[in-house]
Amino acid sequence: DAGITQSPRYKITETGRQVTLMCHQTWSHSYMFWYRQDLGHGLRLIYYSAAADITDKGEVPDGYVVSRSKTENFPLTLESATRSQTSVYFCASRSTKPEQGRNYGYTFGSGTRLTVV
Amino acid sequence: GDSVTQMEGPVTLSEEAFLTINCTYTATGYPSLFWYVQYPGEGLQLLLKATKADDKGSNKGFEATYRKETTSFHLEKGSVQVSDSAVYFCALGVSTADKLIFGTGTRLQVFP
């Protein structure tokens, strides 16, 4: 199916373990984003990517690593998970087609709920 | 820096009541403004948008007007339904940046 998919939907991991969250989109959108959602903080940007092999830090990048070897995939890795990284993680994408002008509307995935114990 | 401030929730209303969720912003340049909605267990969906001053975005009975003089983009609906219960996020997009800035979200609970 076309769209943006995240996996897994739910994940429980132990402190110190490495965990990777996957994000895949089928539109060939240039831009992809990772956000975390926490009570009282809303959505905070972790990392984003403007194209394959181009990534940049967002507001809260510490403890996370991203890569983008292919346009359609944008995995997020927690190198050594901590309890403070317990959160709901959302991946999003958007196009840069000229006709969209200044429309920065994103399309979001359904999220991954990560619990670090 | 650029930022978005939303009213804190939860907002609790009876069905058919009038809804207002306040959103104000701080930005350099000429931002685009958005409202997103998140239903329980789901990701965010674009609800409406406005790309310049005095534009009115509308969708599913919701409306918001881009007010440059008051730097506001308040969300309104004349008659809410139980199915409108969700979290609503105001967001700002600046043309000089690649990303959206989100408010903290406002939870709406509508009771029959």
PDB file of all heavy atoms in Angstrom, chain A residues 9 31 33 35 37 42-43 45 48 90 94 102-106 108-109, chain B residues 30-32 34 36 38 41 43-44 49 51 89 94-95 98-100 102 104:
ATOM      1  N   ARG A   9       5.416  -1.306  15.742  1.00  0.00           N
ATOM      2  CA  ARG A   9       4.396  -0.431  16.314  1.00  0.00           C
ATOM      3  C   ARG A   9       4.644  -0.232  17.808  1.00  0.00           C
ATOM      4  O   ARG A   9       4.444   0.843  18.341  1.00  0.00           O
ATOM      5  CB  ARG A   9       3.011  -1.015  16.075  1.00  0.00           C
ATOM      6  CG  ARG A   9       1.880  -0.063  16.400  1.00  0.00           C
ATOM      7  CD  ARG A   9       1.824   1.085  15.426  1.00  0.00           C
ATOM      8  NE  ARG A   9       0.970   2.152  15.921  1.00  0.00           N
ATOM      9  CZ  ARG A   9      -0.334   2.233  15.677  1.00  0.00           C
ATOM     10  NH1 ARG A   9      -0.931   1.306  14.965  1.00  0.00           N
ATOM     11  NH2 ARG A   9      -1.028   3.251  16.151  1.00  0.00           N
ATOM     12  N   TYR A  31      11.845  15.052   1.661  1.00  0.00           N
ATOM     13  CA  TYR A  31      12.090  15.327   3.072  1.00  0.00           C
ATOM     14  C   TYR A  31      11.486  14.247   3.960  1.00  0.00           C
ATOM     15  O   TYR A  31      10.350  13.820   3.754  1.00  0.00           O
ATOM     16  CB  TYR A  31      11.479  16.675   3.474  1.00  0.00           C
ATOM     17  CG  TYR A  31      12.305  17.859   3.071  1.00  0.00           C
ATOM     18  CD1 TYR A  31      12.165  18.414   1.805  1.00  0.00           C
ATOM     19  CD2 TYR A  31      13.218  18.424   3.949  1.00  0.00           C
ATOM     20  CE1 TYR A  31      12.920  19.507   1.425  1.00  0.00           C
ATOM     21  CE2 TYR A  31      13.974  19.522   3.582  1.00  0.00           C
ATOM     22  CZ  TYR A  31      13.827  20.063   2.323  1.00  0.00           C
ATOM     23  OH  TYR A  31      14.570  21.138   1.956  1.00  0.00           O
ATOM     24  N   PHE A  33      11.381  13.143   8.373  1.00  0.00           N
ATOM     25  CA  PHE A  33      11.581  13.706   9.705  1.00  0.00           C
ATOM     26  C   PHE A  33      11.323  12.642  10.769  1.00  0.00           C
ATOM     27  O   PHE A  33      10.489  11.771  10.584  1.00  0.00           O
ATOM     28  CB  PHE A  33      10.584  14.854   9.959  1.00  0.00           C
ATOM     29  CG  PHE A  33      10.603  15.931   8.908  1.00  0.00           C
ATOM     30  CD1 PHE A  33       9.891  15.775   7.725  1.00  0.00           C
ATOM     31  CD2 PHE A  33      11.323  17.091   9.101  1.00  0.00           C
ATOM     32  CE1 PHE A  33       9.904  16.760   6.747  1.00  0.00           C
ATOM     33  CE2 PHE A  33      11.341  18.088   8.135  1.00  0.00           C
ATOM     34  CZ  PHE A  33      10.626  17.923   6.959  1.00  0.00           C
ATOM     35  N   TYR A  35      10.222  12.691  14.831  1.00  0.00           N
ATOM     36  CA  TYR A  35       9.784  13.444  15.999  1.00  0.00           C
ATOM     37  C   TYR A  35       9.571  12.471  17.151  1.00  0.00           C
ATOM     38  O   TYR A  35       9.236  11.321  16.953  1.00  0.00           O
ATOM     39  CB  TYR A  35       8.455  14.156  15.745  1.00  0.00           C
ATOM     40  CG  TYR A  35       8.530  15.380  14.874  1.00  0.00           C
ATOM     41  CD1 TYR A  35       8.447  15.267  13.490  1.00  0.00           C
ATOM     42  CD2 TYR A  35       8.659  16.637  15.427  1.00  0.00           C
ATOM     43  CE1 TYR A  35       8.499  16.396  12.684  1.00  0.00           C
ATOM     44  CE2 TYR A  35       8.711  17.774  14.629  1.00  0.00           C
ATOM     45  CZ  TYR A  35       8.626  17.641  13.263  1.00  0.00           C
ATOM     46  OH  TYR A  35       8.678  18.758  12.474  1.00  0.00           O
ATOM     47  N   GLN A  37       7.171  12.348  20.733  1.00  0.00           N
ATOM     48  CA  GLN A  37       6.027  12.988  21.369  1.00  0.00           C
ATOM     49  C   GLN A  37       5.979  12.611  22.825  1.00  0.00           C
ATOM     50  O   GLN A  37       5.895  11.418  23.170  1.00  0.00           O
ATOM     51  CB  GLN A  37       4.714  12.580  20.686  1.00  0.00           C
ATOM     52  CG  GLN A  37       3.501  13.292  21.263  1.00  0.00           C
ATOM     53  CD  GLN A  37       2.213  12.897  20.580  1.00  0.00           C
ATOM     54  OE1 GLN A  37       2.097  11.829  19.984  1.00  0.00           O
ATOM     55  NE2 GLN A  37       1.214  13.764  20.651  1.00  0.00           N
ATOM     56  N   GLY A  42       4.738  18.169  23.581  1.00  0.00           N
ATOM     57  CA  GLY A  42       4.244  18.096  22.215  1.00  0.00           C
ATOM     58  C   GLY A  42       5.180  17.287  21.353  1.00  0.00           C
ATOM     59  O   GLY A  42       5.716  16.260  21.772  1.00  0.00           O
ATOM     60  N   LEU A  43       5.399  17.757  20.146  1.00  0.00           N
ATOM     61  CA  LEU A  43       6.296  17.090  19.212  1.00  0.00           C
ATOM     62  C   LEU A  43       7.631  17.818  19.173  1.00  0.00           C
ATOM     63  O   LEU A  43       7.675  19.032  18.977  1.00  0.00           O
ATOM     64  CB  LEU A  43       5.690  17.095  17.805  1.00  0.00           C
ATOM     65  CG  LEU A  43       4.524  16.171  17.570  1.00  0.00           C
ATOM     66  CD1 LEU A  43       3.850  16.504  16.269  1.00  0.00           C
ATOM     67  CD2 LEU A  43       4.989  14.729  17.534  1.00  0.00           C
ATOM     68  N   LEU A  45      11.462  17.731  17.272  1.00  0.00           N
ATOM     69  CA  LEU A  45      12.182  17.196  16.130  1.00  0.00           C
ATOM     70  C   LEU A  45      13.512  16.611  16.568  1.00  0.00           C
ATOM     71  O   LEU A  45      14.308  17.278  17.247  1.00  0.00           O
ATOM     72  CB  LEU A  45      12.398  18.302  15.093  1.00  0.00           C
ATOM     73  CG  LEU A  45      13.105  17.912  13.811  1.00  0.00           C
ATOM     74  CD1 LEU A  45      12.266  16.902  13.021  1.00  0.00           C
ATOM     75  CD2 LEU A  45      13.378  19.148  12.961  1.00  0.00           C
ATOM     76  N   TYR A  48      16.210  15.301  10.763  1.00  0.00           N
ATOM     77  CA  TYR A  48      15.494  15.329   9.508  1.00  0.00           C
ATOM     78  C   TYR A  48      16.470  15.157   8.353  1.00  0.00           C
ATOM     79  O   TYR A  48      17.694  15.249   8.527  1.00  0.00           O
ATOM     80  CB  TYR A  48      14.647  16.596   9.350  1.00  0.00           C
ATOM     81  CG  TYR A  48      15.423  17.879   9.201  1.00  0.00           C
ATOM     82  CD1 TYR A  48      15.541  18.499   7.964  1.00  0.00           C
ATOM     83  CD2 TYR A  48      15.982  18.501  10.311  1.00  0.00           C
ATOM     84  CE1 TYR A  48      16.221  19.695   7.828  1.00  0.00           C
ATOM     85  CE2 TYR A  48      16.671  19.696  10.178  1.00  0.00           C
ATOM     86  CZ  TYR A  48      16.782  20.293   8.944  1.00  0.00           C
ATOM     87  OH  TYR A  48      17.464  21.473   8.815  1.00  0.00           O
ATOM     88  N   PHE A  90       7.427   9.447  15.941  1.00  0.00           N
ATOM     89  CA  PHE A  90       6.708   9.609  14.686  1.00  0.00           C
ATOM     90  C   PHE A  90       7.676   9.960  13.569  1.00  0.00           C
ATOM     91  O   PHE A  90       8.539  10.829  13.719  1.00  0.00           O
ATOM     92  CB  PHE A  90       5.655  10.707  14.779  1.00  0.00           C
ATOM     93  CG  PHE A  90       4.453  10.320  15.576  1.00  0.00           C
ATOM     94  CD1 PHE A  90       4.317  10.742  16.885  1.00  0.00           C
ATOM     95  CD2 PHE A  90       3.466   9.529  15.015  1.00  0.00           C
ATOM     96  CE1 PHE A  90       3.202  10.378  17.632  1.00  0.00           C
ATOM     97  CE2 PHE A  90       2.355   9.162  15.749  1.00  0.00           C
ATOM     98  CZ  PHE A  90       2.224   9.580  17.063  1.00  0.00           C
ATOM     99  N   ARG A  94       7.522  14.901   3.512  1.00  0.00           N
ATOM    100  CA  ARG A  94       6.852  15.887   2.690  1.00  0.00           C
ATOM    101  C   ARG A  94       7.570  16.027   1.362  1.00  0.00           C
ATOM    102  O   ARG A  94       8.752  15.753   1.249  1.00  0.00           O
ATOM    103  CB  ARG A  94       6.753  17.238   3.386  1.00  0.00           C
ATOM    104  CG  ARG A  94       8.042  18.045   3.455  1.00  0.00           C
ATOM    105  CD  ARG A  94       7.720  19.478   3.854  1.00  0.00           C
ATOM    106  NE  ARG A  94       8.925  20.270   4.073  1.00  0.00           N
ATOM    107  CZ  ARG A  94       9.521  20.985   3.126  1.00  0.00           C
ATOM    108  NH1 ARG A  94       9.035  21.000   1.892  1.00  0.00           N
ATOM    109  NH2 ARG A  94      10.597  21.695   3.402  1.00  0.00           N
ATOM    110  N   ARG A 102       4.399  26.986  -0.766  1.00  0.00           N
ATOM    111  CA  ARG A 102       4.787  27.069   0.626  1.00  0.00           C
ATOM    112  C   ARG A 102       3.988  26.111   1.497  1.00  0.00           C
ATOM    113  O   ARG A 102       3.928  26.262   2.695  1.00  0.00           O
ATOM    114  CB  ARG A 102       4.646  28.496   1.115  1.00  0.00           C
ATOM    115  CG  ARG A 102       5.586  29.444   0.412  1.00  0.00           C
ATOM    116  CD  ARG A 102       5.277  30.868   0.723  1.00  0.00           C
ATOM    117  NE  ARG A 102       5.546  31.164   2.121  1.00  0.00           N
ATOM    118  CZ  ARG A 102       4.720  31.808   2.897  1.00  0.00           C
ATOM    119  NH1 ARG A 102       3.553  32.198   2.436  1.00  0.00           N
ATOM    120  NH2 ARG A 102       5.022  32.059   4.142  1.00  0.00           N
ATOM    121  N   ASN A 103       3.381  25.134   0.889  1.00  0.00           N
ATOM    122  CA  ASN A 103       2.641  24.151   1.674  1.00  0.00           C
ATOM    123  C   ASN A 103       3.625  23.190   2.303  1.00  0.00           C
ATOM    124  O   ASN A 103       4.220  22.349   1.639  1.00  0.00           O
ATOM    125  CB  ASN A 103       1.679  23.392   0.768  1.00  0.00           C
ATOM    126  CG  ASN A 103       0.928  22.308   1.506  1.00  0.00           C
ATOM    127  OD1 ASN A 103       1.135  22.104   2.697  1.00  0.00           O
ATOM    128  ND2 ASN A 103       0.073  21.616   0.809  1.00  0.00           N
ATOM    129  N   TYR A 104       3.777  23.301   3.601  1.00  0.00           N
ATOM    130  CA  TYR A 104       4.697  22.407   4.286  1.00  0.00           C
ATOM    131  C   TYR A 104       3.977  21.250   4.925  1.00  0.00           C
ATOM    132  O   TYR A 104       4.458  20.649   5.857  1.00  0.00           O
ATOM    133  CB  TYR A 104       5.462  23.189   5.370  1.00  0.00           C
ATOM    134  CG  TYR A 104       6.478  24.147   4.802  1.00  0.00           C
ATOM    135  CD1 TYR A 104       6.090  25.386   4.336  1.00  0.00           C
ATOM    136  CD2 TYR A 104       7.811  23.800   4.729  1.00  0.00           C
ATOM    137  CE1 TYR A 104       7.011  26.269   3.814  1.00  0.00           C
ATOM    138  CE2 TYR A 104       8.737  24.671   4.216  1.00  0.00           C
ATOM    139  CZ  TYR A 104       8.336  25.905   3.754  1.00  0.00           C
ATOM    140  OH  TYR A 104       9.249  26.764   3.251  1.00  0.00           O
ATOM    141  N   GLY A 105       2.792  20.925   4.425  1.00  0.00           N
ATOM    142  CA  GLY A 105       2.038  19.845   5.024  1.00  0.00           C
ATOM    143  C   GLY A 105       2.815  18.548   5.021  1.00  0.00           C
ATOM    144  O   GLY A 105       3.361  18.145   4.002  1.00  0.00           O
ATOM    145  N   TYR A 106       2.870  17.955   6.170  1.00  0.00           N
ATOM    146  CA  TYR A 106       3.547  16.669   6.332  1.00  0.00           C
ATOM    147  C   TYR A 106       2.539  15.531   6.280  1.00  0.00           C
ATOM    148  O   TYR A 106       1.372  15.701   6.593  1.00  0.00           O
ATOM    149  CB  TYR A 106       4.195  16.581   7.707  1.00  0.00           C
ATOM    150  CG  TYR A 106       5.392  17.447   7.964  1.00  0.00           C
ATOM    151  CD1 TYR A 106       5.815  18.427   7.094  1.00  0.00           C
ATOM    152  CD2 TYR A 106       6.109  17.253   9.145  1.00  0.00           C
ATOM    153  CE1 TYR A 106       6.921  19.198   7.389  1.00  0.00           C
ATOM    154  CE2 TYR A 106       7.218  18.020   9.445  1.00  0.00           C
ATOM    155  CZ  TYR A 106       7.611  18.989   8.563  1.00  0.00           C
ATOM    156  OH  TYR A 106       8.706  19.746   8.860  1.00  0.00           O
ATOM    157  N   PHE A 108       2.249  11.890   8.234  1.00  0.00           N
ATOM    158  CA  PHE A 108       2.832  11.185   9.365  1.00  0.00           C
ATOM    159  C   PHE A 108       2.557   9.695   9.301  1.00  0.00           C
ATOM    160  O   PHE A 108       1.506   9.264   8.830  1.00  0.00           O
ATOM    161  CB  PHE A 108       2.248  11.731  10.671  1.00  0.00           C
ATOM    162  CG  PHE A 108       2.862  13.012  11.125  1.00  0.00           C
ATOM    163  CD1 PHE A 108       2.435  14.213  10.599  1.00  0.00           C
ATOM    164  CD2 PHE A 108       3.859  13.011  12.082  1.00  0.00           C
ATOM    165  CE1 PHE A 108       3.001  15.408  11.018  1.00  0.00           C
ATOM    166  CE2 PHE A 108       4.429  14.204  12.511  1.00  0.00           C
ATOM    167  CZ  PHE A 108       4.002  15.406  11.975  1.00  0.00           C
ATOM    168  N   GLY A 109       3.491   8.933   9.849  1.00  0.00           N
ATOM    169  CA  GLY A 109       3.240   7.529  10.107  1.00  0.00           C
ATOM    170  C   GLY A 109       2.411   7.362  11.371  1.00  0.00           C
ATOM    171  O   GLY A 109       2.082   8.340  12.051  1.00  0.00           O
TER     172      GLY A 109
ATOM    173  N   TYR B  30       7.542  35.386   6.864  1.00  0.00           N
ATOM    174  CA  TYR B  30       6.109  35.206   6.590  1.00  0.00           C
ATOM    175  C   TYR B  30       5.779  33.714   6.632  1.00  0.00           C
ATOM    176  O   TYR B  30       5.856  33.026   5.626  1.00  0.00           O
ATOM    177  CB  TYR B  30       5.786  35.810   5.225  1.00  0.00           C
ATOM    178  CG  TYR B  30       6.163  37.269   5.151  1.00  0.00           C
ATOM    179  CD1 TYR B  30       7.397  37.675   4.641  1.00  0.00           C
ATOM    180  CD2 TYR B  30       5.297  38.243   5.639  1.00  0.00           C
ATOM    181  CE1 TYR B  30       7.748  39.010   4.605  1.00  0.00           C
ATOM    182  CE2 TYR B  30       5.647  39.583   5.602  1.00  0.00           C
ATOM    183  CZ  TYR B  30       6.870  39.956   5.088  1.00  0.00           C
ATOM    184  OH  TYR B  30       7.219  41.280   5.052  1.00  0.00           O
ATOM    185  N   PRO B  31       5.394  33.242   7.811  1.00  0.00           N
ATOM    186  CA  PRO B  31       5.186  31.798   7.955  1.00  0.00           C
ATOM    187  C   PRO B  31       3.884  31.310   7.347  1.00  0.00           C
ATOM    188  O   PRO B  31       2.959  32.091   7.122  1.00  0.00           O
ATOM    189  CB  PRO B  31       5.170  31.611   9.465  1.00  0.00           C
ATOM    190  CG  PRO B  31       4.637  32.902   9.992  1.00  0.00           C
ATOM    191  CD  PRO B  31       5.192  33.967   9.070  1.00  0.00           C
ATOM    192  N   SER B  32       3.837  30.018   7.094  1.00  0.00           N
ATOM    193  CA  SER B  32       2.582  29.319   6.847  1.00  0.00           C
ATOM    194  C   SER B  32       2.132  28.720   8.176  1.00  0.00           C
ATOM    195  O   SER B  32       2.958  28.387   9.029  1.00  0.00           O
ATOM    196  CB  SER B  32       2.780  28.198   5.827  1.00  0.00           C
ATOM    197  OG  SER B  32       3.155  28.706   4.581  1.00  0.00           O
ATOM    198  N   PHE B  34      -0.606  25.955  10.289  1.00  0.00           N
ATOM    199  CA  PHE B  34      -1.297  24.687  10.119  1.00  0.00           C
ATOM    200  C   PHE B  34      -1.982  24.267  11.413  1.00  0.00           C
ATOM    201  O   PHE B  34      -1.522  24.602  12.509  1.00  0.00           O
ATOM    202  CB  PHE B  34      -0.305  23.567   9.759  1.00  0.00           C
ATOM    203  CG  PHE B  34       0.526  23.847   8.535  1.00  0.00           C
ATOM    204  CD1 PHE B  34       1.671  24.614   8.616  1.00  0.00           C
ATOM    205  CD2 PHE B  34       0.146  23.332   7.312  1.00  0.00           C
ATOM    206  CE1 PHE B  34       2.436  24.881   7.488  1.00  0.00           C
ATOM    207  CE2 PHE B  34       0.904  23.594   6.181  1.00  0.00           C
ATOM    208  CZ  PHE B  34       2.040  24.365   6.275  1.00  0.00           C
ATOM    209  N   TYR B  36      -3.060  20.456  12.881  1.00  0.00           N
ATOM    210  CA  TYR B  36      -3.057  19.018  12.720  1.00  0.00           C
ATOM    211  C   TYR B  36      -3.932  18.407  13.812  1.00  0.00           C
ATOM    212  O   TYR B  36      -4.061  18.958  14.904  1.00  0.00           O
ATOM    213  CB  TYR B  36      -1.644  18.449  12.855  1.00  0.00           C
ATOM    214  CG  TYR B  36      -0.790  18.619  11.630  1.00  0.00           C
ATOM    215  CD1 TYR B  36      -0.155  19.829  11.365  1.00  0.00           C
ATOM    216  CD2 TYR B  36      -0.622  17.565  10.731  1.00  0.00           C
ATOM    217  CE1 TYR B  36       0.622  19.980  10.233  1.00  0.00           C
ATOM    218  CE2 TYR B  36       0.154  17.714   9.603  1.00  0.00           C
ATOM    219  CZ  TYR B  36       0.769  18.916   9.354  1.00  0.00           C
ATOM    220  OH  TYR B  36       1.533  19.060   8.234  1.00  0.00           O
ATOM    221  N   GLN B  38      -4.751  14.657  15.913  1.00  0.00           N
ATOM    222  CA  GLN B  38      -4.288  13.304  16.225  1.00  0.00           C
ATOM    223  C   GLN B  38      -5.390  12.572  16.963  1.00  0.00           C
ATOM    224  O   GLN B  38      -5.698  12.890  18.117  1.00  0.00           O
ATOM    225  CB  GLN B  38      -3.020  13.359  17.080  1.00  0.00           C
ATOM    226  CG  GLN B  38      -2.442  11.984  17.377  1.00  0.00           C
ATOM    227  CD  GLN B  38      -1.215  12.063  18.280  1.00  0.00           C
ATOM    228  OE1 GLN B  38      -1.086  12.959  19.101  1.00  0.00           O
ATOM    229  NE2 GLN B  38      -0.306  11.116  18.122  1.00  0.00           N
ATOM    230  N   GLY B  41      -4.343   6.769  19.243  1.00  0.00           N
ATOM    231  CA  GLY B  41      -3.594   5.664  18.660  1.00  0.00           C
ATOM    232  C   GLY B  41      -3.128   5.879  17.236  1.00  0.00           C
ATOM    233  O   GLY B  41      -2.624   4.940  16.602  1.00  0.00           O
ATOM    234  N   GLY B  43      -1.313   8.594  14.030  1.00  0.00           N
ATOM    235  CA  GLY B  43      -0.405   9.694  13.763  1.00  0.00           C
ATOM    236  C   GLY B  43      -1.169  10.981  13.518  1.00  0.00           C
ATOM    237  O   GLY B  43      -2.402  11.015  13.578  1.00  0.00           O
ATOM    238  N   LEU B  44      -0.436  12.046  13.242  1.00  0.00           N
ATOM    239  CA  LEU B  44      -1.061  13.336  13.005  1.00  0.00           C
ATOM    240  C   LEU B  44      -1.557  13.437  11.574  1.00  0.00           C
ATOM    241  O   LEU B  44      -0.922  12.944  10.642  1.00  0.00           O
ATOM    242  CB  LEU B  44      -0.056  14.474  13.260  1.00  0.00           C
ATOM    243  CG  LEU B  44       0.170  14.875  14.711  1.00  0.00           C
ATOM    244  CD1 LEU B  44       0.933  13.804  15.469  1.00  0.00           C
ATOM    245  CD2 LEU B  44       0.909  16.200  14.766  1.00  0.00           C
ATOM    246  N   LYS B  49      -4.933  24.573   6.684  1.00  0.00           N
ATOM    247  CA  LYS B  49      -3.727  25.392   6.611  1.00  0.00           C
ATOM    248  C   LYS B  49      -4.059  26.763   6.032  1.00  0.00           C
ATOM    249  O   LYS B  49      -5.103  26.961   5.419  1.00  0.00           O
ATOM    250  CB  LYS B  49      -2.670  24.724   5.747  1.00  0.00           C
ATOM    251  CG  LYS B  49      -3.023  24.635   4.269  1.00  0.00           C
ATOM    252  CD  LYS B  49      -1.913  23.969   3.498  1.00  0.00           C
ATOM    253  CE  LYS B  49      -2.137  24.072   1.993  1.00  0.00           C
ATOM    254  NZ  LYS B  49      -3.289  23.321   1.524  1.00  0.00           N
ATOM    255  N   THR B  51      -1.578  30.039   4.192  1.00  0.00           N
ATOM    256  CA  THR B  51      -0.213  30.354   3.793  1.00  0.00           C
ATOM    257  C   THR B  51       0.098  31.847   3.782  1.00  0.00           C
ATOM    258  O   THR B  51       1.255  32.224   3.619  1.00  0.00           O
ATOM    259  CB  THR B  51       0.098  29.767   2.409  1.00  0.00           C
ATOM    260  OG1 THR B  51      -0.863  30.276   1.481  1.00  0.00           O
ATOM    261  CG2 THR B  51       0.025  28.252   2.440  1.00  0.00           C
ATOM    262  N   PHE B  89      -2.981  20.084  17.196  1.00  0.00           N
ATOM    263  CA  PHE B  89      -1.674  20.731  17.214  1.00  0.00           C
ATOM    264  C   PHE B  89      -1.665  21.903  16.231  1.00  0.00           C
ATOM    265  O   PHE B  89      -2.024  21.740  15.058  1.00  0.00           O
ATOM    266  CB  PHE B  89      -0.566  19.766  16.784  1.00  0.00           C
ATOM    267  CG  PHE B  89      -0.272  18.680  17.767  1.00  0.00           C
ATOM    268  CD1 PHE B  89      -0.951  17.474  17.717  1.00  0.00           C
ATOM    269  CD2 PHE B  89       0.695  18.854  18.741  1.00  0.00           C
ATOM    270  CE1 PHE B  89      -0.677  16.458  18.623  1.00  0.00           C
ATOM    271  CE2 PHE B  89       0.977  17.842  19.653  1.00  0.00           C
ATOM    272  CZ  PHE B  89       0.289  16.645  19.592  1.00  0.00           C
ATOM    273  N   VAL B  94       8.257  28.063   8.350  1.00  0.00           N
ATOM    274  CA  VAL B  94       8.940  29.270   7.906  1.00  0.00           C
ATOM    275  C   VAL B  94       9.639  28.975   6.597  1.00  0.00           C
ATOM    276  O   VAL B  94      10.301  27.951   6.453  1.00  0.00           O
ATOM    277  CB  VAL B  94       9.956  29.739   8.969  1.00  0.00           C
ATOM    278  CG1 VAL B  94      10.643  31.013   8.522  1.00  0.00           C
ATOM    279  CG2 VAL B  94       9.267  29.964  10.299  1.00  0.00           C
ATOM    280  N   SER B  95       9.505  29.881   5.652  1.00  0.00           N
ATOM    281  CA  SER B  95      10.012  29.605   4.303  1.00  0.00           C
ATOM    282  C   SER B  95      11.522  29.452   4.266  1.00  0.00           C
ATOM    283  O   SER B  95      12.060  28.816   3.380  1.00  0.00           O
ATOM    284  CB  SER B  95       9.571  30.703   3.342  1.00  0.00           C
ATOM    285  OG  SER B  95      10.049  31.955   3.780  1.00  0.00           O
ATOM    286  N   ASP B  98      13.469  24.269   6.740  1.00  0.00           N
ATOM    287  CA  ASP B  98      12.921  23.073   6.107  1.00  0.00           C
ATOM    288  C   ASP B  98      11.852  22.383   6.933  1.00  0.00           C
ATOM    289  O   ASP B  98      11.260  21.430   6.475  1.00  0.00           O
ATOM    290  CB  ASP B  98      14.051  22.055   5.887  1.00  0.00           C
ATOM    291  CG  ASP B  98      15.072  22.561   4.895  1.00  0.00           C
ATOM    292  OD1 ASP B  98      14.677  23.276   3.967  1.00  0.00           O
ATOM    293  OD2 ASP B  98      16.251  22.211   5.048  1.00  0.00           O
ATOM    294  N   LYS B  99      11.614  22.843   8.154  1.00  0.00           N
ATOM    295  CA  LYS B  99      10.818  22.035   9.069  1.00  0.00           C
ATOM    296  C   LYS B  99       9.700  22.840   9.712  1.00  0.00           C
ATOM    297  O   LYS B  99       9.715  24.050   9.750  1.00  0.00           O
ATOM    298  CB  LYS B  99      11.729  21.466  10.156  1.00  0.00           C
ATOM    299  CG  LYS B  99      12.612  22.519  10.807  1.00  0.00           C
ATOM    300  CD  LYS B  99      13.730  21.872  11.592  1.00  0.00           C
ATOM    301  CE  LYS B  99      14.610  22.911  12.261  1.00  0.00           C
ATOM    302  NZ  LYS B  99      15.355  23.708  11.275  1.00  0.00           N
ATOM    303  N   LEU B 100       8.713  22.094  10.230  1.00  0.00           N
ATOM    304  CA  LEU B 100       7.601  22.680  10.964  1.00  0.00           C
ATOM    305  C   LEU B 100       7.945  22.772  12.446  1.00  0.00           C
ATOM    306  O   LEU B 100       8.654  21.915  12.983  1.00  0.00           O
ATOM    307  CB  LEU B 100       6.346  21.829  10.810  1.00  0.00           C
ATOM    308  CG  LEU B 100       5.631  21.856   9.455  1.00  0.00           C
ATOM    309  CD1 LEU B 100       4.414  20.950   9.500  1.00  0.00           C
ATOM    310  CD2 LEU B 100       5.237  23.263   9.083  1.00  0.00           C
ATOM    311  N   PHE B 102       5.977  22.772  16.035  1.00  0.00           N
ATOM    312  CA  PHE B 102       4.666  22.420  16.584  1.00  0.00           C
ATOM    313  C   PHE B 102       4.460  23.021  17.965  1.00  0.00           C
ATOM    314  O   PHE B 102       5.406  23.176  18.744  1.00  0.00           O
ATOM    315  CB  PHE B 102       4.537  20.897  16.703  1.00  0.00           C
ATOM    316  CG  PHE B 102       4.349  20.198  15.398  1.00  0.00           C
ATOM    317  CD1 PHE B 102       5.447  19.819  14.641  1.00  0.00           C
ATOM    318  CD2 PHE B 102       3.091  19.925  14.912  1.00  0.00           C
ATOM    319  CE1 PHE B 102       5.284  19.178  13.416  1.00  0.00           C
ATOM    320  CE2 PHE B 102       2.906  19.275  13.696  1.00  0.00           C
ATOM    321  CZ  PHE B 102       4.009  18.914  12.950  1.00  0.00           C
ATOM    322  N   THR B 104       2.407  22.483  21.716  1.00  0.00           N
ATOM    323  CA  THR B 104       2.405  21.325  22.614  1.00  0.00           C
ATOM    324  C   THR B 104       1.142  20.483  22.504  1.00  0.00           C
ATOM    325  O   THR B 104       1.070  19.421  23.095  1.00  0.00           O
ATOM    326  CB  THR B 104       2.578  21.766  24.074  1.00  0.00           C
ATOM    327  OG1 THR B 104       1.585  22.744  24.373  1.00  0.00           O
ATOM    328  CG2 THR B 104       3.959  22.350  24.309  1.00  0.00           C
TER     329      THR B 104
END
